[in-house]
Amino acid sequence: MLYIVLAIQVPHLCLCQCSLLRCWGADTTGSIGVLLFFGISAWFLCNDGNPSVRSALKRIWLVEREMLFYAWGILLLRIILGHTPPNASLVVYSLFPGITGLWWYMTAYIIFLAFYPFLTVGLRRMGSSLHGGLCMIIMAIWGIYSIVPVDVLQFKARNFMLFIFLYVLISYYRWYMKLFSIRTSAIAFFAGVALFTLPILLLQVFGWVSHINALRLHSAAFAGAAKLPAILIAFGMMNIGVRKHFQSVVVNKVASTTLGIYLIHEDPFVKSILWVHHINAESFINEPWRDGLMVIGCILAVYVVCFGIDWLRQALFSFTVDRHKGAWFDKLWNKISASQNMCRFSALVDDKMIQ
């Protein structure tokens, strides 16, 4: 989550004009955070022995509650403060954040969850051979996308198809492969760092020597969001976490606020308040060492404040909607399941997939 906060912060602070730093903050770091965020979820989801439509929809229901809490809460705060009154479009986005893409990650994740039970069952029934072949096709597509400095093959880094591709790869790794060692994971991590930095440095130097500014301006084209360097870095970090088994109440508490931290600081209104109106980028362009420390301090401060807000949200939920977590969904599901139309539909498909 710190990677995602960093991705929002650095571009708005405009720390320096170096393409290396701008890309690291704007694309690669944020992408690493997203890949880790989803990768950890996928790691546990693919181990569910009995995925069903009901369980997937219940996950969507629980996630949607948190989204609505922050979307409606921030919209209400905006109205109360009278700070740039929201227009009709923003109101609609805030009232229906899941389907309007107020947070692109959450919309993509919700769509993925809708596919998840069918995708999991289908991949298991394919077996290791066909599943492995599908992985090869995905890696070929990803490889072409990573080595070409422009968007090709209609591959989008901010799309639910990214999560489906990742899930196919992660599920194959977990089901059929021996876990890579920490040493191999570290090699993948440093290989990703090298593939990220070397092309940028080489193009920066060549552009400076040859006086071709276009090369310097676009030197980060090979290190964009969800490209090979970010994949290797995220995979190395995730696999090290998987190999290291430990339990910590503190870590679990911090991890439980990760989604809330993302929803708060990625909200358009909050981003505007933080990086446009309350933090003056002009003050970050004088002394590199001091500016660097200030940037780190701002990142940590945003993280801690968002953590505190979500901790309070969890406390509020604990004695309200979470007293019987998911009970409203269960009642709604039971009522729909008892209807005649649902009974006819269940007769056409595998009932285990539905329930």
Side-chain angles (χ1 to χ4, degrees), residues 161-192:
M161 286 303 301
L162 170 67
F163 294 164
I164 291 180
F165 281 8
L166 284 171
Y167 187 77
V168 172
L169 297 175
I170 291 172
S171 59
Y172 183 85
Y173 174 59
R174 178 151 201 189
W175 294 344
Y176 304 115
M177 295 179 66
K178 182 180 179 180
L179 294 183
F180 293 144
S181 65
I182 293 180
R183 181 175 180 272
T184 303
S185 303
I187 292 173
F189 173 83
F190 288 111

Side-chain angles (χ1 to χ4, degrees), residues 20-315:
L20 177 65
L21 291 179
R22 286 206 310 272
C23 180
W24 181 264
D27 287 330
T28 304
T29 16
S31 183
I32 294 168
V34 166
L35 294 171
L36 279 172
F37 204 10
F38 177 78
I40 294 170
S41 299
W43 183 261
F44 292 101
L45 284 173
C46 68
N47 206 40
D48 186 351
N50 187 31
S52 66
V53 174
R54 176 174 182 161
S55 63
L57 292 179
K58 191 170 185 177
R59 291 177 188 274
I60 294 173
W61 175 281
L62 296 176
V63 167
E64 188 73 24
R65 296 181 319 163
E66 194 167 340
M67 293 171 61
L68 291 174
F69 175 83
Y70 283 115
W72 294 358
I74 293 173
L75 177 64
L76 181 62
L77 181 65
R78 185 169 188 168
I79 294 173
I80 293 173
L81 294 178
H83 190 286
T84 56
N87 53 35
S89 176
L90 183 59
V91 171
V92 172
Y93 270 67
S94 298
L95 291 177
F96 307 101
I99 62 175
T100 57
L102 182 65
W103 296 285
W104 79 265
Y105 178 94
M106 299 312 303
T107 299
Y109 186 63
I110 286 173
I111 297 174
F112 163 78
L113 285 177
F115 283 98
Y116 153 70
F118 307 99
L119 184 61
T120 302
V121 172
L123 290 173
R124 284 194 179 277
R125 292 180 179 177
M126 287 173 66
S128 60
S129 180
L130 288 176
H131 193 167
L134 183 59
C135 290
M136 294 297 292
I137 294 174
I138 290 176
M139 288 190 289
I141 294 173
W142 223 316
I144 295 172
Y145 170 75
S146 296
I147 63 175
V148 177
V150 294
D151 290 337
V152 293
L153 300 174
Q154 296 184 347
F155 190 97
K156 301 297 181 182
R158 296 189 172 191
N159 188 284
F160 74 93
M161 286 303 301
L162 170 67
F163 294 164
I164 291 180
F165 281 8
L166 284 171
Y167 187 77
V168 172
L169 297 175
I170 291 172
S171 59
Y172 183 85
Y173 174 59
R174 178 151 201 189
W175 294 344
Y176 304 115
M177 295 179 66
K178 182 180 179 180
L179 294 183
F180 293 144
S181 65
I182 293 180
R183 181 175 180 272
T184 303
S185 303
I187 292 173
F189 173 83
F190 288 111
V193 173
L195 289 173
F196 163 71
T197 56
L198 289 178
I200 296 176
L201 292 174
L202 290 174
L203 289 174
Q204 284 285 329
V205 172
F206 185 74
W208 179 71
V209 172
S210 59
H211 303 289
I212 303 177
N213 288 330
L215 289 177
R216 302 185 67 189
L217 291 174
H218 300 285
S219 62
F222 296 98
K227 292 205 172 186
L228 184 59
I231 296 291
L232 289 173
I233 294 171
F235 172 77
M237 295 177 68
M238 187 188 80
N239 204 61
I240 290 173
V242 168
R243 299 287 297 187
K244 289 284 188 180
H245 298 285
F246 70 97
Q247 292 184 346
S248 171
V249 176
V250 175
V251 171
N252 290 338
K253 187 62 180 179
V254 173
S256 69
T257 64
T258 300
L259 178 58
I261 294 171
Y262 170 80
L263 295 176
I264 296 168
H265 91 272
E266 182 70 351
D267 182 85
F269 175 63
V270 175
K271 285 196 294 186
S272 173
I273 291 291
L274 285 176
W275 315 129
V276 177
H277 298 284
H278 288 276
I279 297 181
N280 185 1
E282 297 295 330
S283 62
F284 286 88
I285 312 179
N286 299 319
E287 300 178 11
W289 288 107
R290 188 205 66 175
D291 294 345
L293 291 174
M294 290 180 67
V295 168
I296 293 172
C298 287
I299 293 170
L300 293 176
V302 169
Y303 190 90
V304 170
V305 170
C306 292
F307 167 82
I309 293 173
D310 196 66
W311 183 81
L312 293 174
R313 193 272 311 166
Q314 289 184 19

